[in-house]
Amino acid sequence: MSVQPEQATEALMLLAEATRLLYEDQPLQQRVHRVFELLRGPVSFRDARLTCWLQSAQPGTARQQYYSARGWPYPWDEALTRRVALNGVFESRTIVLSNEAAGDGDLPVMQAAYLGTPIFWGGRLWGVIELRAPTGTNLVNLGREMLTGLLPQLAIAIAREGRREPVPAGLVPVSETPTGLTLEPQRRQQLSELDTNLEQMLDLHELLSLLLRRTIEATGADAGAIVLVDHQRRQLILQLAEGYPTSLQQGLTNQGRQRFNWEAGSAGQAAHTGQVVLVRDHTTQTGLQPTWAGARTELAAPVLLGDRPAAIILLHSTRANAFGEDELSFMRALCRRVANPLNRAIHYQEALESANYLGQVFASLPTGLALIDASGKVLRANPAWSEIWGFRGALTRSPFHVSFDLVELLLPRLQDPMRLTEFFTRCQRNPAELQTTRVRLVNPNQNLQILSVPTSDSQHRITGRLWAVTDVTREGEADRLKHEFVSMVSHELRTPLTSILGYTELLLNREFTAPDRMQFMQTVFDEASRLSQLVEDLLSISRIEAGKVQLNRWLTSLHSIVAELTTQLNTQLARHRMLLDVAHNLPPVYIDRDKVKQIIFNLLTNAIKYSPNGGQIVLAIKETDEADLPLDHPPGRWIRIAISDKGLGIAPEDLPRIWERFYRVDNTNTRRIGGTGLGLSITRALVELHGGRIWAESELGTGSTFTFTLPIPGVNVGFRQRLADSV
Ligand code: ADP
């Protein structure tokens, strides 16, 4: 319904008059009174009230209320006023007027029309203006029009009145919140103390503890608890409990943050209605189960964030009717004031928890991670970051710039420093792009994969990069092994097969003299032996890797093994001189005879193979003690077996790798010599199966010494017995 034209003119004139009245130089009370009288007829209300919050020079606000003189005797409904203050304009054709609360039963209960408008102007709530009229009166149209028109003038009048000092005589200032709560001075004091404390608190637990303690003190409750509301799961999460009997208290607090279904009890009801729930006496009031069996009075007050309860303060008393209007008002005011600090603390807690969680993930990931700013400075790095580059402690250099510090520190190990430098440049030039590269380090050999991802802030502005560095050496190793296996097998198979096929074809197709035939047959035999050795080596290595090799150990004399081997190898020693330096008094060793023979055989054949120009080969065996062993060798009594040659020698960078499967030193000499790269890895595995160690010393062009140890068994009954058995 809109206002008719004639009504509009009338309304404008009224507005002009009311505005003039409001600007007169009289106390506000008189001016408001005259405005009400002016409007009473045209708007046809029965009574009117202006509630305003004057901002005085003292802290807080003072509420004053001005009534129209000839009103109904019915009291105004403060809850309605509060509702208008909180939620805006409220109109109803049928509110109930009664005077029960004042105990004046003579007045008949009646219905009325109601219109309440907040005086909200200039970003602030100044007051609430309310009109009541007999039902059927068209309050809403003109009334609303008029009130809306008057809002700025009323706000200005209230603002001016507030600045007057002192507060007009006869009006007792009461401190309250603009939503209409009147509080005793003592309560005010309690609230404002709490306010100051809460404002400074960020820690959720600290805040809730203080809140609960103060609430219990202020309301005289016997016990209380605070729960947070989980709307998604419709649950309450217990945060704190205080004052309950020891057994219950321990049960509540020991089990950490317990969750409860929110359907049950007063706290649940407060959580899903957002209203304060008060059970005055559990013994007479049915409906809600007491949260604590010992309680008679129970109060559950929700702290609302927006219109959603975020927490419930639960208070219990063993007395009936322990909480009255005073406590209710206090709790309402308290819950409103707590809302902001609680919201802040919950967010802070969430931020802390997620930061903590992310921090743990960051610290425990095996990938090296570093957050880097736009200039390349490391802001934060996890432990794996320093470890992966192999410079523990070097990151103490502060600030640390990836672009120069990293390259400088890695320079001795970087195989291709330019590659890393180019990578920085690429990252710098394209700050919003993901970049990736691989870096190869030597000493020890390491392949690293770098992923550099742009990072941005909450406004989506690029802030720098996150570097994630992964060690991919093992993956590279697997690739290398595959590659080397294929090339070795193809070479080692093809070469003997080609000569076997070639010579047998010759033998089949042509006649040869007996000595020639012998020579061809010998070559075929040698090549077939080489093939058989290859197959044997491949089987050995796969058995060793599968853990299937078991030692068949006996107490054995090494002299017999040496004797057998020298006879066996004699034919191959055309260009070499073999020197045996074997101690006479060697104790017997507890070994697998065949395996140890294989170890020495492998080392001797290598010594022969890799000294193509001949020279002296020494096989030295003696008992030794710790002084004669490498530093990291286990202590005890050992037999030390060393095989030296005066051959090609091994370069220092190859020395640590000769034990790897399929690893062959790659140069013209070794290529000519041929081999599988398996011998030494099998040898090492067999030595270690016996509990010994093996190592090599070598100088390129001078020769090599391969040494291994075998433990001398402690003399005990078991060994004596076996010794006796084996003799
Ligand atoms: P293979 O001899 O079949 O190549 P090994 O595992 O026995 O495989 O040896 C690995 C590598 O170590 C050889 O390719 C060779 O380069 C080097 N090597 C082993 N023994 C000696 C030695 N006595 N002198 C020089 N180099 C050696």
Side-chain angles (χ1 to χ4, degrees):
M1 254 197 276
S2 60
V3 179
Q4 301 299 311
E6 61 277 15
Q7 278 181 317
T9 323
E10 188 190 353
L12 269 177
M13 287 175 62
L14 276 171
L15 260 181
E17 180 61 9
T19 308
R20 196 188 58 76
L21 282 175
L22 280 173
Y23 276 95
E24 278 197 356
D25 192 18
Q26 280 177 335
L28 181 62
Q29 187 183 14
Q30 283 178 28
R31 284 180 277 156
V32 170
H33 176 71
R34 289 177 65 192
V35 171
F36 283 157
E37 287 311 305
L38 176 74
L39 299 178
R40 179 193 296 280
V43 180
S44 52
F45 61 81
R46 181 64 196 274
D47 59 3
R49 177 169 84 159
L50 169 69
T51 305
C52 52
W53 290 278
L54 303 178
Q55 209 161 28
S56 63
Q58 295 105 32
T61 51
R63 183 180 69 164
Q64 286 176 19
Q65 290 179 323
Y66 307 108
Y67 300 88
S68 70
R70 287 176 286 142
W72 274 319
Y74 295 98
W76 288 82
D77 182 345
E78 299 298 335
L80 261 184
T81 318
R82 200 151 52 228
R83 176 174 177 166
V84 173
L86 280 173
N87 302 338
V89 177
F90 177 73
E91 49 198 47
S92 167
R93 291 175 190 275
T94 51
I95 62 160
V96 176
L97 301 182
S98 82
N99 204 19
E100 264 172 31
D104 191 348
D106 293 349
L107 285 172
V109 174
M110 64 174 281
Q111 287 196 332
Y114 172 90
L115 171 69
T117 308
I119 306 172
F120 197 82
W121 192 73
R124 184 171 178 251
L125 180 72
W126 298 90
V128 171
I129 188 155
E130 294 164 290
L131 306 178
R132 295 192 299 195
T135 39
T137 314
N138 191 4
L139 236 191
V140 175
N141 269 344
L142 190 59
R144 190 164 180 173
E145 198 81 4
M146 292 301 306
L147 293 189
T148 315
L150 275 177
L151 290 183
Q153 282 75 18
L154 280 167
I156 291 162
I158 296 165
R160 279 172 52 210
E161 185 71 5
R163 271 187 245 117
R164 285 193 188 192
E165 284 295 337
V167 175
L171 290 169
V172 185
V174 283
S175 190
E176 61 167 23
T177 61
T179 43
L181 266 174
T182 312
L183 292 172
E184 296 296 321
Q186 185 207 346
R187 292 284 194 226
R188 258 188 284 144
Q189 179 69 20
Q190 288 166 337
L191 271 185
S192 72
E193 271 176 27
L194 197 59
D195 261 356
T196 328
N197 287 325
L198 294 182
E199 274 312 315
Q200 296 158 358
M201 281 187 174
L202 272 180
D203 183 277
L204 183 63
H205 185 79
E206 245 176 60
L207 181 136
L208 295 180
S209 305
L210 179 79
L211 183 63
L212 185 60
R213 213 172 324 121
R214 290 291 154 79
T215 315
I216 292 177
E217 277 165 19
T219 55
D222 293 312
I226 298 186
V227 293
L228 290 186
V229 184
D230 180 343
H231 287 270
Q232 228 169 16
R233 295 199 212 166
R234 300 170 71 83
Q235 280 179 336
L236 305 174
I237 313 153
L238 179 68
Q239 303 291 309
L240 276 177
E242 232 180 271
Y244 296 97
T246 328
S247 56
L248 179 66
Q249 179 83 28
Q250 278 172 354
L252 286 175
T253 37
N254 282 354
Q255 292 170 29
R257 299 199 172 146
Q258 289 187 63
R259 286 177 169 264
F260 302 95
N261 193 335
W262 80 1
E263 304 303 339
S266 60
Q269 199 169 75
H272 56 84
T273 59
Q275 303 285 333
V276 175
V277 177
L278 175 65
V279 180
R280 292 181 195 278
D281 189 350
H282 269 302
T283 55
T284 55
Q285 243 171 298
T286 50
L288 280 178
Q289 280 286 334
T291 322
W292 167 38
R296 284 188 72 178
T297 316
E298 182 168 335
L299 176 92
V303 180
L304 304 180
L305 294 185
D307 55 359
R308 272 186 146 198
I312 312 290
I313 307 176
L314 195 62
L315 294 176
H316 286 121
S317 173
T318 49
R319 292 171 294 121
N321 291 314
F323 311 128
E325 288 309 313
D326 180 38
E327 281 78 19
L328 268 178
S329 307
F330 173 76
M331 287 306 291
R332 285 202 178 99
L334 177 91
C335 286
R336 257 193 302 275
R337 288 184 182 206
V338 163
N340 276 337
L342 180 70
N343 192 15
R344 215 173 34 228
I346 290 176
H347 278 112
Y348 181 68
Q349 179 86 6
E350 281 170 3
L352 269 189
E353 269 164 23
S354 68
N356 185 28
Y357 175 70
L358 283 180
Q360 283 177 21
V361 174
F362 190 76
S364 59
L365 275 180
T367 303
L369 294 173
L371 271 174
I372 289 163
D373 73 5
S375 72
K377 189 171 83 182
V378 173
L379 301 174
R380 205 177 150 186
N382 68 350
W385 165 264
S386 327
E387 254 165 54
I388 219 158
W389 296 113
F391 39 75
R392 215 164 292 167
L395 263 196
T396 44
R397 184 186 276 203
S398 174
F400 188 98
H401 277 85
V402 277
S403 27
F404 26 94
D405 291 322
L406 194 61
V407 179
E408 193 197 314
L409 282 165
L410 289 177
L411 210 53
R413 293 189 58 208
L414 272 176
Q415 213 174 46
D416 183 2
M418 278 313 287
R419 196 184 169 96
L420 197 54
T421 321
E422 277 163 14
F423 181 65
F424 294 132
T425 320
R426 234 185 312 138
C427 288
Q428 216 93 43
R429 287 218 183 111
N430 313 288
E433 277 175 26
L434 184 148
Q435 299 288 346
T436 170
T437 191
R438 275 196 181 210
V439 174
R440 193 163 158 71
L441 300 175
V442 292
N443 268 338
N445 285 315
Q446 236 182 324
N447 284 339
L448 300 179
Q449 159 98 42
I450 308 176
L451 179 72
S452 172
V453 196
T455 52
S456 51
D457 62 13
S458 54
Q459 313 284 307
H460 306 292
R461 286 175 305 219
I462 301 281
T463 51
R465 287 179 169 273
L466 174 74
W467 273 39
V469 189
T470 331
D471 194 326
V472 288
T473 319
R474 278 177 153 272
E475 290 150 45
E477 182 62 6
D479 278 353
R480 185 190 68 79
L481 279 180
K482 215 163 47 191
H483 177 78
E484 287 185 4
F485 174 77
V486 172
S487 60
M488 182 279 294
V489 166
S490 55
H491 177 261
E492 289 299 304
L493 277 179
R494 207 183 288 144
T495 320
L497 274 179
T498 317
S499 36
I500 292 172
L501 286 173
Y503 283 110
T504 42
E505 200 179 0
L506 276 179
L507 285 168
L508 284 172
N509 293 333
R510 280 176 48 192
E511 285 296 324
F512 289 97
T513 60
D516 279 351
R517 249 195 342 257
M518 251 333 263
Q519 198 198 332
F520 291 170
M521 294 297 279
Q522 183 61 46
T523 311
V524 170
F525 177 79
D526 288 347
E527 295 299 331
S529 309
R530 205 168 133 186
L531 272 182
S532 146
Q533 185 59 45
L534 170 67
V535 173
E536 202 47 53
D537 281 356
L538 284 174
L539 289 177
S540 293
I541 202 85
S542 66
R543 271 200 302 269
I544 287 171
E545 279 179 3
K548 284 197 179 138
V549 175
Q550 286 195 342
L551 297 183
N552 183 16
R553 287 176 139 186
W554 293 94
L555 274 176
T556 311
S557 150
L558 286 171
H559 288 286
S560 63
I561 297 182
V562 172
E564 277 172 35
L565 279 173
T566 39
T567 326
Q568 201 175 327
L569 286 170
N570 226 354
T571 51
Q572 297 183 29
L573 286 172
R575 315 181 72 175
H576 300 82
R577 262 184 313 117
M578 175 113 134
L579 188 77
L580 295 182
D581 177 11
V582 184
H584 290 295
N585 54 347
L586 285 179
V589 270
Y590 182 52
I591 53 169
D592 182 320
R593 197 175 192 286
D594 291 342
K595 303 278 187 308
V596 170
K597 196 171 156 190
Q598 191 185 343
I599 297 168
I600 304 177
F601 179 84
N602 282 354
L603 295 175
L604 280 175
T605 42
N606 271 357
I608 298 168
K609 238 168 56 174
Y610 294 105
S611 47
N613 299 326
Q616 181 168 277
I617 291 170
V618 184
L619 169 61
I621 310 183
K622 62 174 180 175
E623 183 182 339
T624 188
D625 52 27
E626 281 149 54
D628 211 11
L629 293 171
L631 285 177
D632 56 350
H633 196 284
R637 287 177 67 208
W638 299 85
I639 297 282
R640 184 182 193 277
I641 300 147
I643 291 106
S644 326
D645 63 64
K646 300 228 175 297
L648 301 172
I650 304 161
E653 65 270 20
D654 289 315
L655 206 51
R657 305 200 60 193
I658 54 173
W659 312 100
E660 294 171 16
R661 278 174 301 151
F662 304 120
Y663 187 83
R664 304 208 64 235
V665 176
D666 191 18
N667 58 38
T668 37
N669 283 327
T670 50
R671 241 172 279 141
R672 192 158 28 83
I673 290 166
T676 60
L678 285 173
L680 285 180
S681 58
I682 295 171
T683 304
R684 178 157 82 169
L686 294 179
V687 170
E688 287 175 356
L689 271 176
H690 280 90
R693 297 284 184 277
I694 185 164
W695 65 96
E697 291 145 295
S698 185
E699 204 176 312
L700 202 58
T702 310
S704 318
T705 302
F706 284 78
T707 313
F708 72 98
T709 52
L710 292 172
I712 299 173
V715 182
N716 59 33
V717 181
F719 286 119
R720 276 179 197 284
Q721 189 59 48
R722 287 209 187 86
L723 182 61
D725 289 348
S726 66
V727 172

